[in-house]
């Protein structure tokens, strides 16, 4: 038997803070607890039928059974460009400014390999999607944490970043609408980010996975709508959340052609692209009618309203989300994010995610995902009320 030693990059991964929660959850489930799981950022609704039907037809075509092209079918990239034009009035060249991804996580995780040398800095928002610092670590880069604080509307404070850090920074991740805080960003914020990036030669990677999951008719903007964005960066996008397609693994990156080419170079050496049948179904997905999408939004909005109303009655301060399917709430005094999650789990059978799991600046918060029916969310609120002595 050989001795298996993990590489340093694996051993230096941050501790997986959700592991203890997963264990608690499994134990509760095996005890038969009627658990209301609000910890999962994965739509509970099925993929719309017209997309599934398109996939069935596409799967039968022998042409799709062979290796796909690395950068994605031109027809898929054209339909991404058409979608950006129609949704954001942004013009993209499908040949050079669009790249298909095996889900956006894949592209986000790989992009530091293209641009970050060992010792280079990547600016990473926190709390945030764990893939930003992990992709950085795998490339030998150093994450500089940009804390997202409530008093700054969960936007990074660029003025707080030291000059020597900016000098060493190669890449900056941003994510609006934001997971986990549900914050959105304005054109003015992106302008500020673009000016900073232009001044210090930093590539901006904006993760827009939640741009279509919005409420009250307030449509989030694309980073690429802002003047100069394409000079400094790219936007990651995904069909996962918009069309309930997390299992299909289809996303894309768009924007600066040199950055797109760099990511493409890494990918062509590591993977062989997205199953063409999935891309063909993706074309159909991107043409989905507004009525289907607003139907999905209405479902989440109804859930959000039930949850926010309940938490408000409880006196829990809550930022009513304008986008995403997350609620980011401060935990009551006397708890930290982990002890409150454990308390709710054990006493109410309601599972949230501890904010600290998204990075130290997330301490003091809990994230609830609106991925259960409105009835179950109502039930969760009632249970939380009785635990807090407010029933
Ligand atoms: C869900 C999510 C994604 C999308 O991931 P896919 O790999 O496209 O499924 C990207 N970024 C964030 C912040 C997310 O929460």
């Amino acid at each position: 038997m050989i001795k298996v030693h993990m590489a340093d990059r694996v051993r230096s991964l941050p501790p997986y803070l959700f592991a203890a929660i997963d264990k608690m959850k499994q134990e509760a489930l095996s005890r038969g607890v009627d658990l209301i799981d609000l910890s999962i950022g994965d739509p509970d609704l099925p993929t719309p039928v017209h997309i599934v039907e398109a996939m069935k037809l596409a799967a039968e075509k022998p042409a799709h059974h062979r290796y796909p092209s690395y950068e994605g079918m031109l027809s898929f990239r054209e339909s991404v460009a058409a979608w950006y034009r129609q949704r954001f009035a942004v013009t993209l060249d499908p040949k050079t400014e669009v790249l298909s991804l095996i889900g956006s996580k894949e592209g986000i995780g790989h992009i530091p390999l293209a641009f970050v040398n060992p010792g280079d800095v990547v600016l990473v928002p926190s709390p945030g999607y764990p893939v930003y610092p992990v992709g950085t670590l795998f490339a030998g880069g150093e994450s500089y944490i940009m804390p997202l604080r409530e008093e700054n509307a969960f936007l990074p404070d660029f003025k707080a970043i030291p000059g020597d850090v900016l000098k060493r920074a190669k890449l900056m991740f941003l994510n609006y609408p934001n997971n986990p805080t549900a914050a959105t960003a304005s054109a003015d914020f992106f302008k500020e980010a673009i000016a900073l990036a232009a001044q210090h030669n930093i590539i901006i990677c904006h993760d827009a996975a939640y741009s279509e999951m919005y409420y009250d008719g307030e449509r989030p903007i694309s980073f690429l709508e802002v003047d100069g964005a394409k000079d400094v960066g790219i936007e990651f996008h995904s069909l996962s959340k918009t069309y309930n397609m997390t299992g299909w693994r289809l996303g894309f990156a768009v924007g600066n052609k040199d950055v797109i080419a760099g990511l493409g170079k890494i990918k062509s050496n590591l993977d062989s692209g997205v199953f063409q049948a999935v891309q063909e179904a993706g074309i159909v997905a991107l043409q989905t009618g507004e009525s289907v999408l607003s139907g999905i939004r209405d479902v989440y909005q109804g859930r959000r309203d039930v949850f926010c109303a309940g938490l408000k009655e409880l006196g829990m301060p809550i930022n009513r989300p304008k986008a995403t399917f997350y609620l980011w709430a401060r935990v009551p005094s006397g708890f930290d994010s982990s002890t409150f999650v454990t308390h709710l789990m054990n006493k109410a059978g309601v599972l949230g995610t501890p904010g600290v799991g998204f990075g130290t600046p997330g301490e003091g918060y809990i994230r609830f995902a609106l991925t259960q029916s409105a009835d179950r969310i109502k039930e969760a609120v009632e249970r939380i009320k009785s635990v807090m002595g407010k029933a």
Side-chain angles (χ1 to χ4, degrees):
M1 203 62 136
I2 59 157
K3 267 215 174 98
V4 176
H5 288 296
M6 291 298 196
D8 292 345
R9 74 177 64 81
V10 176
R11 284 191 294 182
S12 52
L13 281 170
Y16 183 57
L17 284 163
F18 303 132
I21 307 281
D22 280 350
K23 193 158 164 250
M24 261 187 353
K25 173 178 159 181
Q26 291 315 324
E27 279 166 10
L29 288 174
S30 65
R31 285 200 312 272
V33 172
D34 173 29
L35 191 70
I36 304 177
D37 189 351
L38 302 175
S39 71
I40 300 174
D42 186 352
D44 56 310
L45 305 171
T47 306
V49 173
H50 68 286
I51 302 171
V52 177
E53 290 303 323
M55 178 68 193
K56 286 183 191 165
L57 290 177
E60 287 179 356
K61 296 184 186 167
H64 294 342
H65 301 167
R66 311 189 64 193
Y67 281 120
S69 64
Y70 292 122
E71 64 276 13
M73 294 159 76
L74 185 59
S75 54
F76 175 70
R77 289 178 290 143
E78 281 168 348
S79 75
V80 167
W83 185 79
Y84 256 77
R85 194 178 320 116
Q86 186 240 327
R87 168 68 174 88
F88 299 117
V90 166
T91 305
L92 296 166
D93 178 349
K95 291 208 176 76
T96 56
E97 295 178 331
V98 182
L99 178 69
S100 72
L101 299 172
I102 312 169
S104 59
K105 180 179 186 178
E106 178 262 301
I108 292 166
H110 281 144
I111 197 158
L113 291 175
F115 302 106
V116 175
N117 284 316
D120 287 346
V121 166
V122 176
L123 305 172
V124 170
S126 179
Y129 195 45
V131 188
Y132 313 138
V134 168
T136 300
L137 173 74
F138 284 173
E142 216 177 276
S143 290
Y144 177 84
I145 298 299
M146 302 186 291
L148 307 184
R149 300 195 199 287
E150 192 157 354
E151 62 265 29
N152 299 329
F154 299 112
L155 299 168
D157 175 8
F158 295 134
K159 288 188 280 301
I161 306 172
D164 62 310
V165 170
L166 289 171
K167 228 178 252 165
R168 291 165 55 215
K170 286 287 170 65
L171 210 137
M172 166 161 60
F173 284 107
L174 293 172
N175 165 222
Y176 294 97
N178 185 256
N179 174 14
T181 68
T184 53
S186 67
D188 281 344
F189 169 76
F190 286 133
K191 252 181 225 158
E192 207 190 319
I194 291 165
L196 184 81
Q199 188 187 345
H200 297 279
N201 219 55
I202 298 169
I203 296 168
I204 293 183
C205 295
H206 180 244
D207 179 354
Y210 295 95
S211 76
E212 303 316 297
M213 206 176 247
Y214 58 82
Y215 304 113
D216 310 315
E218 285 182 47
R219 306 207 299 177
I221 61 166
S222 161
F223 163 69
L224 294 177
E225 283 179 56
V226 180
D227 279 348
K230 222 192 259 181
D231 296 333
V232 301
I234 63 169
E235 188 155 77
F236 285 101
H237 226 297
S238 170
L239 280 75
S240 287
K241 310 291 163 48
T242 309
Y243 306 105
N244 305 325
M245 289 176 73
T246 50
W248 298 57
R249 313 313 303 135
L250 183 58
F252 48 90
V254 295
N256 184 284
K257 67 177 174 19
D258 298 327
V259 178
I260 292 291
L263 176 57
K265 184 128 199 164
I266 295 295
K267 282 175 56 58
S268 61
N269 282 280
L270 284 177
D271 66 63
S272 300
V274 178
F275 182 22
Q276 289 195 1
V278 168
Q279 295 185 59
E280 212 165 278
I283 293 171
V284 171
L286 287 167
Q287 292 161 356
T288 297
E290 196 46 39
S291 64
V292 174
L293 292 177
S294 62
I296 295 172
R297 277 181 208 117
D298 287 348
V299 168
Y300 289 123
Q301 187 161 325
R303 295 172 179 183
R304 177 200 67 166
D305 292 345
V306 165
F307 210 148
C308 287
L311 293 185
K312 202 167 160 201
E313 276 174 44
L314 264 166
M316 264 176 88
I318 164 82
N319 301 289
R320 188 182 165 84
K322 287 186 181 160
T324 78
F325 54 10
Y326 302 115
L327 262 86
W328 184 245
R330 267 182 202 277
V331 303
S333 61
F335 293 100
D336 65 23
S337 66
S338 302
T339 54
F340 188 60
V341 165
T342 308
H343 182 72
L344 279 190
M345 162 85 199
N346 290 336
K347 297 287 183 339
V350 173
L351 187 58
T353 309
V356 71
F358 300 99
T360 313
E363 183 51 273
Y365 292 87
I366 183 169
R367 190 194 77 176
F368 294 108
L370 301 170
T371 48
Q372 299 280 346
S373 70
D375 282 348
R376 288 294 274 174
I377 287 175
K378 229 176 247 168
E379 161 87 21
V381 169
E382 290 311 314
R383 291 194 200 173
I384 297 171
K385 275 186 195 163
S386 63
V387 166
M388 310 286 286
K390 305 240 170 117

